[in-house]
Amino acid sequence: MLEGLEPIAAHQADLFSVPDPRSPALLAAIDGLNGRFGRHTMRLASEGFGQKAYDTKRAFKSPSWTTRIDQVPVAR
């Protein structure tokens, strides 16, 4: 159970969710289309599109003090 290798029927369901019987077939269809026409051809709407909100913003990147000696601050 700790490795997630249990059968799909053995998982603990959410108390407030209603299981969707079409879900396995829908995901299999999306996987089939992506396998045939290329990765990310079909996506779920919840994935969004375009630039992801969690992508790194380079303007806010901190200096590389631990990897670049020229960016180590010097006290005077």
Side-chain angles (χ1 to χ4, degrees):
M1 187 166 126
L2 295 176
E3 294 179 2
L5 299 175
E6 68 274 353
I8 196 163
H11 77 280
Q12 184 175 358
D14 185 2
L15 180 62
F16 301 106
S17 70
V18 177
D20 185 2
R22 300 171 298 164
S23 183
L26 173 64
L27 294 177
I30 290 174
D31 289 342
L33 288 169
N34 284 337
R36 182 174 178 189
F37 296 108
R39 191 173 181 194
H40 300 302
T41 300
M42 295 288 296
R43 296 184 184 196
L44 296 175
S46 61
E47 290 183 49
F49 60 93
Q51 185 178 3
K52 303 290 184 206
Y54 54 81
D55 281 347
T56 304
K57 306 285 190 263
R58 295 293 173 202
F60 301 115
K61 182 178 174 283
S62 64
S64 304
W65 294 338
T66 59
T67 57
R68 296 194 53 192
I69 193 70
D70 62 328
Q71 292 188 4
V72 174
V74 177
R76 296 181 187 198

